[in-house]
Amino acid sequence: MSLMQIPRKIEYALRAMIYLADHPAGVARGTEIATREHIPKYYLEKVIRDLMRRGLVHARRGPGGGYQLARKADTVTFRDIIEAVEGPITLNVCTDGSSSCALQPTCRMYRVWEKGQRVLLEVFSDTSLAEIAASRPSPPVCPPDEISPAKSQPA
């Protein structure tokens, strides 16, 4: 089975940014992010550089240094993060606006690609980092052991 997959680089960038959004007032060390988010340190450094270049992450040097969000999480979208590490999002070459396809005037698939592109960009643009950080699942709650009447009676 073949899958359309999000590249690892994008996934790592999103996970790192979500981790930073979970710690808005603090600074997170790269090793901490890499360990907690299961991101190889080499790849984390690579995506952090891209995120810094696009003004999404700040680095603080020295003791207590590390990385932190450069903007408030509610102003950063999935689209911002994805485009910071991969460039413009394009579902198919014919939807990037710059390619000319000889089949385009009569292509019966173009309408589907164009609609998919529009919906994909809408979802990524409407999903903020703050929204995802706020959706953190709560830890599982173990119900207290039920005391059966037989157990509550002294022996």
Side-chain angles (χ1 to χ4, degrees):
M1 171 192 253
S2 179
L3 300 174
M4 290 180 70
Q5 287 187 302
I6 299 294
R8 283 278 192 219
K9 188 176 182 182
I10 290 173
E11 183 182 338
Y12 292 156
L14 291 167
R15 283 197 276 166
M17 290 292 285
I18 292 167
Y19 187 86
L20 292 174
D22 284 340
H23 303 83
V27 176
R29 292 187 157 314
T31 53
E32 174 187 341
I33 299 168
T35 301
R36 297 277 171 92
E37 293 300 321
H38 305 282
I39 302 171
K41 185 118 170 60
Y42 168 79
Y43 287 108
L44 177 66
E45 291 169 358
K46 200 171 182 179
V47 297
I48 290 287
R49 270 194 309 271
D50 290 339
L51 295 166
M52 288 172 61
R53 266 187 235 125
R54 292 293 291 262
L56 299 176
V57 172
H58 280 307
R60 291 177 66 191
R61 299 189 187 278
Y67 303 108
Q68 67 184 148
L69 294 178
R71 297 178 6 203
K72 291 184 178 190
D74 62 353
T75 69
V76 179
T77 66
F78 262 41
R79 183 177 180 176
D80 295 330
I81 298 165
I82 293 167
E83 290 184 344
V85 296
E86 281 290 325
I89 300 166
T90 305
L91 185 60
N92 195 351
V93 293
C94 61
T95 62
D96 74 358
S98 65
S99 299
S100 62
C101 174
L103 299 175
Q104 207 286 324
T106 59
C107 179
R108 292 183 277 180
M109 293 181 290
Y110 177 76
R111 182 179 53 81
V112 176
W113 297 135
E114 191 275 327
K115 182 179 180 181
Q117 173 80 13
R118 192 172 57 251
V119 170
L120 186 65
L121 291 178
E122 181 181 315
V123 169
F124 290 161
S125 296
D126 290 346
T127 305
S128 77
L129 190 55
E131 178 186 339
I132 298 303
S135 71
R136 179 192 298 198
S138 52
V141 177
C142 297
D145 288 340
E146 292 185 7
I147 301 174
S148 67
K151 290 183 181 176
S152 63
Q153 302 293 328

